[in-house]
């Protein structure tokens, strides 16, 4: 494609995430007795070359002398560098292929390891300008081509003058030598690339700071794989979600901001503006007032099982999809329930506390095996069913009650009413959802139905148990032991004191909402929820959404995808199709699903279309949200 623009791109820390010499040091010095000392010296010399206290050529000579590389080190180096290409470069491979005639790699590195990396992206070998090694007969590096201008100070400027490119020149790089090209008047604009490293002195000199190649392509109206620049999708993650989630979303090209705790309603109102993706755990309340200020919000991810902390009705009205992690921490919650059940049946908590005070209380009084006891489950969902299976393997008899018809696993017995479970069980474990109707589901009346000496566990939702009634039944001995992980009010951060009437009671385990807080569970959630959110943003798929009609969509190929969210009223699909027909637009695929609130229409159309139709589709009566994917 003929283009009167030329793109000059740096290699180290721009095309790749790393400095090639740092990787080479790990390889060539792997078994060297002075490895760490030499690596420190290399960094020192690099800095001296960059600050001008020694010449670049002297810096290069000294570093190569310390590295002592050989030709046989290059395959391992190249393999490492191929795995370290910047994520936004990998995403936009089509750009390099489409404009290969106009893209130059100019680097103070060496062509021997640069060329195998960048030519895989379609960049021409003759457009790679870099230093070149000199080898002896044994393949040992003995120097470099000293005639090459890139081996000296100001080499990039000298090299670009020689090229004399006949058009506008745009430089993308992370170093001061890249800025020097613009300073010398040889480039129209210098873009400081900050995806991998940020250098303040370089950013201050830049015409534009580009956190990814997506941003550069967007600003220069160049073809990208999708109709929006991913780096313009702002993600806000609260409550210390697992780092794997942060990494996945950043790797996708999104701007990610994290915060260690929950936010108050007012704080979130201030932060939610211009946020496209919100990730929370259980403490953050996403109210109608918050959503009123969410001008760009597309999706909310609950990095937990429950979603009662989100106003789902209001989110749906605003066309915001909500996803959660219904299975990812199931095992962790179940294991905690089993552990606490055994601890409470053996009265371990009080015995341990006495031991710490120097009291030796060796007695079997009040200690029982769980084998042969009846476990009563209130709620038989993902957690309840798995707990049921494990409890049976311990020799327990399982009774359960659920408002929905659920298939019994193993020998578990379904009871017709909750009261039947409460009257028979030796251990009661709560596993219900957070709907408002479950507030104080267990109160004075329910405790009155339980056996004397019952063990009571609540790892579900704080508001389902009347705390004052539970306190009274512990003090009276009706409840012989309890474990509570969730509370009607929970501190918003670890800095706030936990205040609750259950503090200090006998044989009572209190935990800070950590049922799902294992490294395995948090990592599983950290992978699952971002995956669902990215699928929704990138393809429109709503599989596992808790408030949208569930659609699993094929990958889009050679077409535009129109995503239309509307109030669930008759005639919308007909209006959409009539508009497309009026503009001679061919439909290559269409998907529709509705729930009681919204309709969700996905229409794939061929590439040729009148862009005026987009405005008309947005204007269809009862439209909530509309967007286009390439």
């Amino acid at each position: 494609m003929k283009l009167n623009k030329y793109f000059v791109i740096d290699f180290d820390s721009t095309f790749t995430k790393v400095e090639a010499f740092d990787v080479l040091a790990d390889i060539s010095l792997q078994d060297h007795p002075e490895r760490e000392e030499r690596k420190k010296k290399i960094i020192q010399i690099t800095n001296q070359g960059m600050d001008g206290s020694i010449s670049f050529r002297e810096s290069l000579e000294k570093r190569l002398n310390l590295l002592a590389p050989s030709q046989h080190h290059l395959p391992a180096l190249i393999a490492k560098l191929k795995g370290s290409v910047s994520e936004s470069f990998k995403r936009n491979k089509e750009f390099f292929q489409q404009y290969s005639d106009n893209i130059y790699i100019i680097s103070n590195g060496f062509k021997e390891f640069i060329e195998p990396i960048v030519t895989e992206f379609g960049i021409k070998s003759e457009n790679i300008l870099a230093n070149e090694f000199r080898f002896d007969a044994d393949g040992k590096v003995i120097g470099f081509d000293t005639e090459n201008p890139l081996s000296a100070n100001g080499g990039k400027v000298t090299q670009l003058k020689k090229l004399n490119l006949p058009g506008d020149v745009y430089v993308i790089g992370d170093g001061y030598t890249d800025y020097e090209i613009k300073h010398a008047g040889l480039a129209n604009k210098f873009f400081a690339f900050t995806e991998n490293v940020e250098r303040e002195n370089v950013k201050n000199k830049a015409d534009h700071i580009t956190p990814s190649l997506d941003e550069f392509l967007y600003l220069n109206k160049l073809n990208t794989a999708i109709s929006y620049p991913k780096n313009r999708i702002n993600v806000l993650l609260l409550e210390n979600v697992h780092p794997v989630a942060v990494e996945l979303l950043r790797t996708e090209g999104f701007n990610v901001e994290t915060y260690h705790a929950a936010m108050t309603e007012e704080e979130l109102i201030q932060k939610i503006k211009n946020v496209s993706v919100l990730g929370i755990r259980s403490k953050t309340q996403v109210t109608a007032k918050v959503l009123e200020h969410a001008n760009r919000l597309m999706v909310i991810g609950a990095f937990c099982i429950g979603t009662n902390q989100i106003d789902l009705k209001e989110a749906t009205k605003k066309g915001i999809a909500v996803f959660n992690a219904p299975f990812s921490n199931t095992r962790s919650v179940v294991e905690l329930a089993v552990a606490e059940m055994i601890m409470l049946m053996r009265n371990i908590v009080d015995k341990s506390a006495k031991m710490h005070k120097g009291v030796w209380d060796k007695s079997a009084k009040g200690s029982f095996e769980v084998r042969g006891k009846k476990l009563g489950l209130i709620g038989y969902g993902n957690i309840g069913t798995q707990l049921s299976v494990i409890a049976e393997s311990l020799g327990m008899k399982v009774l359960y009650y659920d408002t929905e018809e659920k298939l019994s696993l193993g020998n578990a017995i379904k009871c017709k009413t909750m009261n039947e479970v409460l009257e028979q069980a030796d251990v009661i474990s709560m596993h219900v959802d957070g709907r408002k109707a479950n507030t104080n589901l267990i109160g004075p009346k329910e405790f009155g139905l339980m056996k004397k000496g019952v063990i009571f566990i609540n790892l579900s939702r704080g508001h389902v148990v009347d705390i004052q009634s539970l306190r009274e039944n512990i003090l009276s001995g009706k409840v012989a032991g309890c474990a509570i992980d969730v509370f009607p009010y929970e501190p918003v951060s670890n800095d706030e004191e936990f205040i609750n009437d259950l503090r200090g009671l006998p044989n009572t385990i209190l935990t800070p909402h950590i049922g799902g807080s294992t490294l395995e569970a948090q990592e599983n959630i950290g992978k699952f929820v971002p995956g669902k959110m990215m699928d929704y943003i990138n393809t429109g798929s709503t599989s596992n959404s808790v408030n949208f009609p569930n659609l699993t969509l094929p990958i889009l190929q050679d077409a535009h995808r129109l995503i239309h969210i509307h109030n669930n009223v008759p005639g919308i699909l007909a209006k959409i199709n009539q508009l497309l027909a009026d503009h001679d637009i061919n439909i290559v695929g269409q998907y529709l699903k509705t729930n009681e609130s919204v309709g969700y229409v996905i229409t794939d159309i061929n590439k040729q279309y009148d862009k005026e139709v987009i405005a008309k589709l947005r204007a269809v009566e009862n439209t909530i949200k509309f967007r286009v994917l390439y």
Side-chain angles (χ1 to χ4, degrees):
M1 179 176 288
K2 196 68 177 173
L3 190 73
N4 197 34
K5 290 181 180 179
Y6 294 87
F7 311 103
V8 174
I9 302 174
D10 184 34
F11 183 76
D12 287 308
S13 297
T14 297
F15 203 100
T16 60
K17 304 173 189 177
V18 295
E19 293 283 333
F21 267 23
D22 291 345
V23 180
L24 182 57
D26 288 331
I27 295 167
S28 66
L29 300 175
Q30 186 174 8
D31 300 316
H32 200 286
E34 298 175 0
R35 178 185 178 187
E36 295 307 317
E37 186 182 337
R38 288 197 174 205
K39 285 173 73 174
K40 286 177 186 175
K41 282 184 182 177
I42 289 166
I43 293 169
Q44 252 180 358
I45 294 165
T46 300
N47 292 334
Q48 287 174 343
M50 291 181 75
D51 65 23
S53 57
I54 61 174
S55 70
F56 178 77
R57 183 164 291 171
E58 185 181 355
S59 162
L60 196 55
E61 287 172 345
K62 286 185 173 183
R63 283 182 290 163
L64 283 176
N65 188 49
L66 288 166
L67 284 166
S70 293
Q71 209 158 21
H72 72 268
H73 292 133
L74 293 180
L77 173 61
I78 290 164
K80 289 272 189 184
L81 294 176
K82 282 184 177 180
S84 301
V85 173
S86 295
E87 297 299 331
S88 65
F89 280 58
K90 288 192 285 188
R91 277 197 301 274
N92 292 286
K93 205 167 184 177
E94 284 183 12
F95 162 70
F96 297 101
Q97 295 166 344
Q98 188 171 1
Y99 299 113
S100 59
D101 288 339
N102 298 64
I103 297 173
Y104 288 80
I105 301 294
I106 300 183
S107 171
N108 295 116
F110 286 80
K111 194 168 182 177
E112 283 83 357
F113 56 74
I114 294 174
E115 185 169 356
I117 314 302
V118 303
T119 51
E120 286 195 353
F121 283 70
I123 295 170
K124 296 182 174 181
S125 178
E126 60 266 30
N127 287 6
I128 303 166
L129 304 169
N131 284 298
E132 293 184 45
F133 288 126
R134 293 290 177 260
F135 301 96
D136 65 13
D138 297 321
K140 182 181 177 182
V141 173
I142 54 173
F144 49 86
D145 178 11
T146 54
E147 298 300 313
N148 190 325
L150 289 162
S151 69
N153 284 10
K156 290 188 177 182
V157 171
T158 305
Q159 189 67 72
L160 209 56
K161 281 180 180 177
K162 285 186 175 184
L163 282 175
N164 192 27
L165 297 172
D168 296 337
V169 176
Y170 299 89
V171 178
I172 308 168
D174 64 280
Y176 197 83
T177 56
D178 303 303
Y179 159 70
E180 285 177 334
I181 298 171
K182 166 71 188 302
H183 184 66
L186 298 171
N188 298 70
K189 285 186 178 179
F190 166 56
F191 293 80
F193 188 77
T194 60
E195 183 172 327
N196 303 313
V197 296
E198 295 190 26
R199 297 186 171 97
E200 287 304 318
N201 65 327
V202 177
K203 287 164 61 178
N204 293 337
K205 298 290 186 181
D207 295 293
H208 194 89
I209 296 168
T210 180
S212 69
L213 189 60
D214 306 284
E215 170 86 354
F216 175 82
L217 298 179
Y218 175 77
L219 289 171
N220 291 284
K221 297 181 171 60
L222 298 164
N223 288 346
T224 56
I226 53 175
S227 61
Y228 56 90
K230 290 191 176 183
N231 65 287
R232 298 210 165 199
I233 289 186
N234 297 319
V235 180
L236 177 62
L237 299 178
L238 306 180
E239 303 184 63
N240 273 338
V241 302
H242 195 278
V244 72
V246 180
E247 180 62 25
L248 282 169
L249 291 163
R250 282 185 175 151
T251 298
E252 188 68 14
F254 302 156
N255 287 330
V256 181
E257 181 182 354
T258 62
Y259 188 67
H260 70 283
M263 287 185 176
T264 65
E265 185 178 62
E266 287 305 315
E267 287 172 332
L268 193 51
I269 284 170
Q270 292 303 312
K271 291 294 293 185
I272 202 71
K273 294 170 185 175
N274 297 317
V275 167
S276 303
V277 179
L278 176 64
I280 62 169
R281 292 174 74 183
S282 57
K283 293 188 179 72
T284 301
Q285 300 297 309
V286 185
T287 63
K289 192 175 176 183
V290 168
L291 293 171
E292 186 183 329
H293 292 81
N295 57 320
R296 287 181 59 183
L297 194 60
M298 298 165 63
V299 58
I300 300 171
F303 286 72
C304 52
I305 295 175
T307 54
N308 58 297
Q309 71 278 39
I310 302 166
D311 189 327
L312 292 178
K313 187 175 180 182
E314 192 63 24
T316 307
K317 279 171 59 179
K318 291 187 171 292
I320 299 164
V322 179
F323 297 89
N324 66 340
F327 319 111
S328 300
N329 66 0
T330 298
R331 179 70 184 195
S332 297
V333 177
V334 167
E335 287 189 6
L336 182 61
V338 170
E340 290 182 332
M341 180 171 28
I342 294 171
M343 295 271 284
L344 293 168
M345 291 286 281
R346 297 292 298 272
N347 204 17
I348 297 296
V349 180
D350 287 354
K351 290 185 184 296
S352 177
K354 286 179 180 179
M355 290 288 285
H356 281 284
K357 294 176 182 177
V359 177
W360 184 269
D361 181 18
K362 179 175 168 57
S363 169
K365 185 180 178 181
S367 293
F368 303 94
E369 292 182 351
V370 295
R371 181 175 53 176
K373 305 301 185 295
K374 292 179 181 177
L375 171 63
L377 299 173
I378 309 301
Y380 201 64
N382 298 319
I383 293 171
T385 50
Q386 191 167 148
L387 178 55
S388 169
V389 171
I390 293 178
E392 279 200 4
S393 72
L394 292 173
M396 301 186 80
K397 183 178 180 180
V398 178
L399 314 170
Y400 74 90
Y401 171 73
D402 199 292
T403 54
E404 297 180 15
E405 190 63 38
K406 297 286 180 71
L407 176 67
S408 301
L409 298 185
N411 296 312
I413 298 171
K414 177 178 171 58
C415 295
K416 292 180 181 178
T417 65
M418 185 174 74
N419 289 355
E420 282 185 50
V421 177
L422 300 179
E423 289 168 349
Q424 298 179 65
D426 300 298
V427 180
I428 294 169
S429 192
M430 304 296 297
H431 300 287
V432 299
D433 63 32
R435 69 188 71 180
K436 287 183 180 178
N438 284 335
T439 301
N440 289 341
L441 184 66
I442 304 296
K445 177 187 171 186
E446 289 70 30
F447 281 116
L449 294 171
M450 297 178 194
K451 288 182 176 182
K452 182 173 174 57
V454 70
I455 299 297
F456 183 80
I457 298 171
N458 183 22
L459 305 180
S460 60
R461 295 292 179 270
H463 65 268
V464 306
V465 179
D466 180 341
I467 294 296
Q468 192 56 42
S469 181
L470 174 57
R471 173 186 169 84
E472 291 168 4
N473 280 276
I474 293 170
L475 291 173
S476 72
K478 182 69 177 282
V479 174
C482 80
I484 307 295
D485 186 53
V486 287
F487 305 88
Y489 175 80
E490 298 178 358
V492 296
S493 77
N494 291 345
D495 299 325
E496 182 182 342
E497 183 184 357
F498 168 67
I499 298 173
N500 192 277
D501 287 340
L502 300 179
R503 282 171 53 175
L505 296 185
N507 205 25
T508 297
I509 300 174
L510 304 179
T511 50
H513 205 142
I514 56 167
S517 296
T518 62
L519 293 179
E520 293 90 345
Q522 292 308 304
E523 184 172 354
N524 289 338
I525 293 169
K527 290 175 181 176
F528 183 85
V529 177
K532 292 299 175 185
M533 295 194 294
M534 289 186 294
D535 278 351
Y536 176 66
I537 291 168
N538 293 335
T539 72
S541 287
T542 54
S543 173
N544 288 107
S545 171
V546 297
N547 68 324
F548 268 34
N550 278 206
L551 272 176
T552 302
L553 299 167
I555 295 170
L556 185 65
Q557 292 184 340
D558 197 32
H560 290 284
R561 176 162 285 169
L562 312 180
I563 297 180
H564 195 279
I565 306 165
H566 56 269
N567 293 319
N568 187 13
V569 297
I572 301 293
L573 183 61
K575 289 178 183 177
I576 291 171
N577 289 345
Q578 187 60 55
L579 274 171
L580 295 175
D582 291 345
H583 288 77
D584 297 320
I585 294 172
N586 184 44
I587 297 174
V588 295
Q590 194 167 55
Y591 316 87
L592 165 66
K593 207 161 187 183
T594 62
N595 62 20
E596 65 277 6
S597 304
V598 296
Y600 191 60
V601 178
I602 307 294
T603 307
D604 294 346
I605 63 173
N606 59 11
K607 287 279 186 179
Q608 302 303 316
Y609 70 96
D610 182 349
K611 292 189 178 181
E612 286 183 12
V613 76
I614 300 301
K616 291 183 177 179
L617 286 167
R618 291 185 195 278
V620 170
E621 192 176 359
N622 283 299
T623 297
I624 298 172
K625 273 191 178 176
F626 177 83
R627 64 188 176 106
V628 181
L629 293 180
Y630 279 87

